[in-house]
Amino acid sequence: MDKKVFGGTNAVKTLVAFAILGGLFFAGRNVFLESREQFPIYPSSGLTRIAHLSEYFEGVKGTAADGEVYVFDSGKPGASVLILGGTHNDEPSGHVGAVTLVENIRVKQGRVFIAPRANASGLTHTTPLEGFLDRYWVDTPGGKRWFKFGSRYTNPVYQWPDPDIFVHHQSLQSMAGEESRNLNRCWPGRPDGTYTEKLAFAYMELMRKEHIAIAADFHEAPLEYFLINAICYPDKCSKVAMGAEFNLSMEDLDYTMEASPGNLHGFFHREVGDYAETMPFLMETPNPSQGRFHGKMTNDLIVTGRDGNYIKAGKLGRLFVDMDEKGWPLSLRVARHIKSIEEIINSFNELNPDQAVVVEGIPSYTDLVDKGVGAFLHAPEKL
Ligand SMILES: [Zn+2]
């Protein structure tokens, strides 16, 4: 009798345990699936088509690396430009800068290609132990738009395990193993390489086949990192870069123009220039939500770029940029990216008037800073 009662209690306990485990499984599954949802993009009426990377390199077809490229083709002769946002998915101004362009521009001469989720797999996971938010929200006049805060690395679901040491294939330069999943260490990629190398190779094929003249890669960096507020490029871009620097300085905008060291391999600003006719430029803006000093990760930190610890470090002169109560708002960082590619295009046009690229609808630096980037983003869809 006692045995029976005891057995019955165990059965109930087992049932309850299964119910809890089942609940946890389904809740966890939903969180997992939600983390794979990509933020929405609402292209301007100037969009010609959405291309996929597999059009340029068959090897990514049917994989998560077969990303979208937004094409704005004027149908009139002129050079072609490629812009990447989201090579690193913990650098919000990269995505938001590229999306702002997709949602506003009209191309009147030449062509513009934009990949706002350059390594989309990095948007489907996070960096352990960093306390990152899954999503962040930007105010627009029509409501809040959401963006993803992801990882700087390819999701290990697609490329695993990391080697102890990552050897860059073309140069044999060695790096930490996890860098094998960093798109900005895998250029120029290779067709029979890893997921990340294939992704880089697909973009290289796009640049070669579409004869891209100028390519830009929007990044951010911690305030304690020396290469910041910078535009980095290889020697062959010097003339265009000098013209852009002059144009920017005429508007009192201070950018560090940094020549890409010849012996630093795997980087966009080095290898794209060596393996394609394209002139590559990599832009960095200061991101207080990225470095080691910041406090709790909040939506406010990501969007306003204000953080007490960084303000203190700025007052002590420990940072490579000014930092005070004004912070480094996302709108200002996006404005800097957009202004820099605009002036690079202007400089290219001055040097190559017969191949000029004419782009309308680019939000001005002052408007982005004064009105906020949300004023230039499409209202969210009402569900
Ligand atoms: Zn980066």
Side-chain angles (χ1 to χ4, degrees):
M1 180 72 181
D2 280 345
K3 224 177 181 183
K4 208 176 171 188
V5 169
F6 190 69
T9 311
N10 258 0
V12 171
K13 279 181 185 168
T14 310
L15 273 176
V16 169
F18 270 115
I20 291 170
L21 282 173
L24 285 173
F25 171 78
F26 284 108
R29 183 175 170 272
N30 286 345
V31 170
F32 177 74
L33 292 178
E34 241 173 54
S35 77
R36 305 176 80 80
E37 192 186 343
Q38 297 288 5
F39 57 76
I41 298 174
Y42 307 96
S44 81
S45 58
L47 182 78
T48 315
R49 72 186 185 99
I50 298 177
H52 283 86
L53 284 176
S54 56
E55 293 175 33
Y56 304 100
F57 172 48
E58 188 73 18
V60 295
K61 201 172 179 97
T63 75
D66 192 4
E68 293 173 339
V69 183
Y70 293 75
V71 184
F72 297 80
D73 186 349
S74 69
K76 292 188 184 147
S80 298
V81 175
L82 170 68
I83 296 165
L84 303 184
T87 290
H88 292 151
N89 295 291
D90 53 351
E91 299 170 7
S93 77
H95 294 130
V96 182
V99 170
T100 305
L101 288 171
V102 169
E103 299 195 2
N104 287 276
I105 64 166
R106 297 174 304 279
V107 178
K108 296 294 167 186
Q109 232 176 280
R111 301 180 303 169
V112 175
F113 296 72
I114 306 177
R117 307 183 191 105
N119 186 359
S121 91
L123 287 163
T124 60
H125 72 130
T126 188
T127 309
L129 305 175
E130 291 287 346
F132 284 170
L133 296 184
D134 183 43
R135 296 180 176 192
Y136 61 97
W137 303 80
V138 176
D139 287 324
T140 80
K144 287 179 184 295
R145 278 279 295 272
W146 71 273
F147 290 89
K148 200 70 195 285
F149 202 95
S151 164
R152 63 194 284 105
Y153 298 115
T154 293
N155 191 329
V157 162
Y158 304 112
Q159 185 179 322
W160 188 85
D162 292 340
D164 290 338
I165 294 171
F166 166 52
V167 179
H168 179 251
H169 182 72
Q170 288 80 3
S171 67
L172 302 183
Q173 186 174 294
S174 47
M175 299 175 233
E178 63 188 1
E179 301 295 356
S180 64
R181 286 184 291 114
N182 182 344
L183 175 58
N184 198 31
R185 299 297 181 276
C186 287
W187 298 99
R190 53 185 171 139
D192 54 352
T194 61
Y195 174 99
T196 313
E197 287 173 317
K198 284 181 183 167
L199 178 63
F201 184 78
Y203 284 116
M204 290 303 304
E205 286 292 274
L206 184 160
M207 287 186 259
R208 289 187 280 251
K209 290 177 180 173
E210 297 288 7
H211 303 286
I212 300 290
I214 299 165
D217 192 10
F218 291 166
H219 284 256
E220 299 209 90
L223 280 64
E224 63 270 31
Y225 185 60
F226 71 95
L227 187 62
I228 202 159
N229 264 342
I231 302 175
C232 202
Y233 53 89
D235 288 348
K236 75 180 200 183
C237 305
S238 298
K239 272 192 185 169
V240 173
M242 279 166 60
E245 184 184 19
F246 179 77
N247 295 344
L248 291 163
S249 67
M250 291 301 283
E251 296 190 43
D252 279 338
L253 295 173
D254 186 25
Y255 286 75
T256 304
M257 306 304 283
E258 189 80 24
S260 173
N263 57 357
L264 200 58
H265 289 282
F267 289 82
F268 178 86
H269 52 75
R270 167 87 264 140
E271 311 293 356
V272 168
D274 286 349
Y275 286 84
E277 57 188 282
T278 308
M279 288 190 278
F281 296 86
L282 185 146
M283 291 77 166
E284 298 273 11
T285 51
N287 175 12
S289 66
Q290 197 178 355
R292 304 314 324 161
F293 296 167
H294 69 78
K296 189 179 174 187
M297 181 67 103
T298 61
N299 204 87
D300 192 54
L301 169 57
I302 294 167
V303 174
T304 67
R306 270 195 298 271
D307 177 86
N309 296 347
Y310 270 111
I311 292 171
K312 220 176 262 180
K315 285 180 181 160
L316 292 169
R318 303 284 167 85
L319 304 173
F320 283 92
V321 285
D322 292 337
M323 177 70 180
D324 56 25
E325 280 72 12
K326 292 197 290 292
W328 280 96
L330 182 61
S331 296
L332 172 61
R333 286 138 58 193
V334 168
R336 288 185 67 87
H337 278 329
I338 289 180
K339 185 66 178 168
S340 60
I341 185 61
E342 187 181 11
E343 291 306 343
I344 285 166
I345 292 173
N346 287 341
S347 172
F348 174 87
N349 290 350
E350 284 159 22
L351 291 163
N352 306 277
D354 54 326
Q355 297 173 55
V357 189
V358 179
V359 186
E360 290 182 354
I362 300 177
S364 79
Y365 180 90
T366 317
D367 279 350
L368 281 166
V369 172
D370 291 349
K371 297 177 185 168
V373 65
F376 299 92
L377 294 173
H378 195 284
E381 245 163 327
K382 297 275 181 268
L383 297 174

